Every structure is written in C-alpha cells, then in structure tokens.
Amino acid sequence: MLSNETNNNSKHAKPSFENTEIAFRHSSNTDLNRAYWLFRIINVNFLVKIGPPVTNFAIKIGLPIKGIIKATIFKHFCGGETIAECDNTIKNLYSGGVGTILDYSIEGEDDEAVFDSTRDEIIRTVIRASKDKAVPLTVFKITGVGRFALLEKLDARLPLTPEEESEWQRVQNRVLAICTKAHASNVPVMIDAEESWIQETIDLLALTMMTQFNTQKPIVYNTYQMYRHDKLASILNDHEIAQGEGFILGAKIVRGAYMEKERKRAVEMGYNSPIQPDKKSTDLDYDSALDYCTSHIDQIAFIAGTHNEESCRLLAELLDAKGIDHKHPHVYFSQLLGMSDNLSFNLADAQYNVAKYVPYGPIKAVLPYLFRRAQENTAIAGQMSRELSLIVKERRRRAKN
C-alpha cells in the first residue's frame, strides 16, 4: 500500500518525454547502438519491403540466418523464444518501473493441436504473472485458439455444420479455460482486437467472459480499435451493458493495427470501410475514450495502448484534473517492447502504471509479428524519426560523460 505522502507526490509528478537519460537507463551502449542501426535500416522502405520474402526464402532453403535475426530485430522487439528466455527482459524493464505483458506471438495457425498448445502456453503466462509482480497483465488472441475462417463464418451469421458447432464449442472452452485460470490467479487477461469481419464474435465472447469474471474486479479486458469509426460508441454501449449486468468493464484502448487491410477489403468487396476518414478523427475518438473512461473510473478499468505522446500527456493531465492517483489499479499505460521508451520509462518514473508488450515464441513463428512491426514503422516515418532523434540525443549525452 502506498503511503499518503507517496500518493500525493505521484499526483503532482509530471512526466517529461524528452528525458533520454531515464528513457534509456535500462539500455547498455551495445543496446543503444543496435537500436540506432536497426531503426536506420527500418527507415529504408526498400529493405523492409524485400526483407520478408527474402528472409522466408532463406529459412525455407536452410540458410543459417536465424542467428542473425535473433541477435538483431528479434532481440530488439521480442523477449525470447520461451517464457524463461524472457526473464532478463522482464527484470530489465522492471528495474525502470515498467511491467511486462507476456505476448505469445504465434499467429496464422490452423490446427486443433496447435490451438490446444497455445491455450496451455497462455495459461503458463498467467501462472508466471501470478508469481511475479513484474508481470501485471496477460494477453491472447482468439485466433490463437480458434480458426479464423470459423470466426469469419460466425460473424457473417452463416449456419454452421455439426462439425463446426463442435469446433466452436472447443474454441469457447479454450477461452473459458484461460479466463478461469486468470480469475483464480487474480491476473488480468486482455483479449486482443482483430479484423473487423471477425470482431463482433470476439466482442460477444469477451463480454460473456466479463459478465462471469469481472463482478468483483477487472479480470477480462476487451480491445477497442479507435481507428474504427464505431468503436467509441462500442465503449459507451458496453459500459451500459456492464452497469446493467453488474460487472466492471475492462477496456484496452488502441488506435489499431489493420488499417490498410481493412480499407483494401472494403474496396474489393464493395462495402463501406469501418475505418475513420482521417487520423484527426481517430485521435479525437481515442482522446474522447480516455476522457470517458477516466470519468467512470470506478466502473471501467482501462489500458491506454498508445505510442502517441499527446494522448499520453492528455491521460496524465486527465488523471490529475479528476483527482485520480497515478497508481490507480484501473489505469495502465502500455507500449510495445523496443519502441517509445521515452514514454514508458518517463511515465513509470512519474509513478504511473506502465507495462510493455513483450512478444515471445519460436523465431520462425514470430516472424510475421516482426515484419509487421517493421512495415508499420515505415508507415509512420515521423515516429521513427522521433525514435532515432532520441537515440542520437542519448548517444551524444553519454559521449560527453
């Protein structure tokens, strides 16, 4: 329990996102140099575009490049291949006051045995979190434990065959097993958002889990992608449901990760895109969601997943303006490992709850995640320039000392 003095201090501490000494205190000179060259390479769009097919081909024909991948992009953006290999990353983050969200990043699978194995691995992350205060949250994707095409059929409200009905029951049982273990272990678990054409099924499943497990405290969180023009309304509607059903709404608020794919599919299939018309609209809805959640802090627990400095600054200001302690258990800031350390560590230094997503898994299985990180990063050149400028600033500061 924090003392009154600590509470008062935390309410008045202001984060500075320019302090590179705090931002990179956990990084050795070797780490910093690797990040410098990595982000310089990522900024070269041509290399990022040819990287995935070349890498996949090299692995397919047996070229020994896994060691290079593991020592570079994998080491920067991932914790390891197993939970045990993530130990050093977990300890390193926690030395700067930042928690870890273990993210088993297997995706694109289509096999029942793999789905069962993934369920078991997610439960292992819950068990690890229950024994370690440095791991305050856990996460999984429904497509990690169920077939994408099945979810797509459910969302389209198409009739299932008897075999598919049984398959769907197994998916629900896997989700229930994870959430049951999370509840028994007193460990919050987030359900990640996915493509819009399977999201309604995911939303309904998440709300069902919340109804069962969030009556006393937030255990299950659903994810709201605010680059969709309907998701601010979803938060308000789900909050109304939570009030009626008597549970605490768990919400992870993000901007989103599938924009180009969503727009392309909408054009190809001739329906209105679910994506906001522009970035300003996304930013407005994101910040409105932060305002709404902080105004209902006793009934909504939320995680602000964002690399946007202005949204982080706004949330910090909202907490102070509404008299909400920095360490309130219903509020977390979150960023990805290897990105925006100036946000994560400076927020933690100002006594906010902060946790980083730490992806892990076999290198070959995690490659789609790594390629997506690189491709997304080139799409937001301003942020990459920001990352590089901060790294350069810290290298110069260290050179003078």
Side-chain angles (χ1 to χ4, degrees):
M1 179 67 69
L2 294 172
S3 68
N4 289 334
E5 181 180 0
T6 304
N7 284 339
N8 290 336
N9 286 340
S10 72
K11 284 181 180 178
H12 296 292
K14 298 289 185 183
S16 166
F17 301 139
E18 305 299 321
N19 191 323
T20 61
E21 182 178 3
I22 291 174
F24 298 110
R25 186 180 289 159
H26 65 296
S27 299
S28 66
N29 288 338
T30 300
D31 293 333
L32 209 60
N33 289 334
R34 183 185 63 248
Y36 172 77
W37 287 108
L38 188 60
F39 283 126
R40 283 198 64 178
I41 291 169
I42 285 174
N43 267 343
V44 181
N45 285 328
F46 172 71
L47 293 177
V48 172
K49 287 178 180 177
I50 68 167
V54 169
T55 302
N56 286 327
F57 177 73
I59 290 176
K60 186 175 181 179
I61 65 174
L63 292 180
I65 66 167
K66 284 188 179 180
I68 297 172
I69 295 171
K70 189 167 186 177
T72 54
I73 187 170
F74 186 89
K75 185 175 179 62
H76 187 78
F77 290 112
C78 299
E81 294 193 74
T82 64
I83 294 175
E85 282 191 16
C86 294
D87 281 349
N88 288 337
T89 298
I90 293 169
K91 291 173 184 175
N92 195 30
L93 291 175
Y94 199 63
S95 69
V98 175
T100 287
I101 303 166
L102 286 169
D103 180 15
Y104 186 52
S105 296
I106 301 296
E107 54 186 69
E109 300 293 343
D110 206 23
D111 180 85
E112 289 286 299
V114 174
F115 295 147
D116 285 341
S117 175
T118 299
R119 171 204 60 206
D120 295 343
E121 184 66 20
I122 301 305
I123 288 174
R124 282 190 281 273
T125 68
V126 172
I127 293 170
R128 172 59 193 269
S130 70
K131 299 175 181 178
D132 190 349
K133 60 183 179 181
V135 186
L137 302 159
T138 57
V139 65
F140 72 103
K141 279 187 172 185
I142 299 298
T143 52
V145 295
R147 191 165 54 91
F148 189 100
L150 177 67
L151 299 173
E152 192 173 14
K153 196 169 181 179
L154 285 160
D155 244 54
R157 295 180 174 81
L158 298 174
L160 301 183
T161 66
E163 292 78 11
E164 288 171 335
E165 290 281 4
S166 296
E167 183 185 0
W168 173 228
Q169 188 59 57
R170 290 194 295 273
V171 176
Q172 294 176 84
N173 290 343
R174 293 183 192 111
V175 174
L176 180 61
I178 293 168
C179 294
T180 298
K181 185 63 177 180
H183 183 261
S185 305
N186 199 30
V187 172
V189 60
M190 298 177 288
I191 297 175
D192 267 347
E194 304 195 49
E195 289 87 346
S196 64
W197 56 98
I198 63 170
Q199 188 61 46
E200 186 176 344
T201 300
I202 294 171
D203 290 343
L204 290 172
L205 190 51
L207 280 174
T208 300
M209 294 298 106
M210 284 189 221
T211 302
Q212 183 168 347
F213 296 113
N214 285 20
T215 55
Q216 300 300 317
K217 64 178 297 183
I219 293 295
V220 180
Y221 288 70
N222 195 17
T223 303
Y224 299 84
Q225 299 189 103
M226 305 311 294
Y227 71 174
R228 283 182 52 172
H229 56 68
D230 57 341
K231 280 300 159 181
L232 179 58
S234 291
I235 292 176
L236 274 59
N237 182 65
D238 289 352
H239 178 220
E240 187 175 338
I241 292 171
Q243 288 178 300
E245 297 288 334
F247 66 86
I248 298 168
L249 179 65
K252 185 178 77 165
I253 306 167
V254 300
R255 278 174 167 79
Y258 305 97
M259 183 168 65
E260 291 179 8
K261 183 192 293 187
E262 291 280 0
R263 284 178 171 158
K264 181 180 179 182
R265 185 177 189 268
V267 170
E268 289 175 350
M269 300 187 69
Y271 61 83
N272 291 330
S273 172
I275 304 303
Q276 300 268 19
D278 49 42
K279 184 180 182 299
K280 183 178 179 181
S281 300
T282 299
D283 292 342
L284 183 61
D285 275 10
Y286 191 96
D287 293 345
S288 296
L290 298 183
D291 189 23
Y292 185 83
C293 290
T294 51
S295 293
H296 299 88
I297 196 65
D298 293 334
Q299 302 159 347
I300 301 176
F302 70 102
I303 293 131
T306 180
H307 293 255
N308 184 291
E309 289 188 21
E310 292 308 311
S311 289
C312 288
R313 190 170 288 110
L314 172 65
L315 179 52
E317 292 170 354
L318 286 170
L319 294 178
D320 285 346
K322 298 177 183 181
I324 301 169
D325 192 82
H326 290 190
K327 287 292 187 182
H328 195 293
H330 283 194
V331 186
Y332 261 87
F333 293 82
S334 181
Q335 289 82 39
L336 298 169
L337 180 69
M339 294 178 64
S340 300
D341 284 354
N342 66 309
L343 302 181
S344 304
F345 287 95
N346 280 298
L347 284 165
D349 190 69
Q351 299 300 303
Y352 293 94
N353 293 321
V354 185
K356 286 240 192 214
Y357 263 63
V358 176
Y360 75 96
I363 292 176
K364 188 174 180 180
V366 176
L367 280 177
Y369 170 87
L370 294 173
F371 291 149
R372 195 163 61 248
R373 289 285 77 79
Q375 288 162 351
E376 286 172 359
N377 290 345
T378 61
I380 43 177
Q383 182 172 315
M384 286 303 96
S385 296
R386 175 69 165 152
E387 295 275 357
L388 270 173
S389 68
L390 290 165
I391 290 168
V392 169
K393 180 180 176 182
E394 176 60 10
R395 291 173 88 199
R396 287 173 178 166
R397 188 195 69 80
R398 292 185 185 188
K400 291 178 182 178
N401 294 338

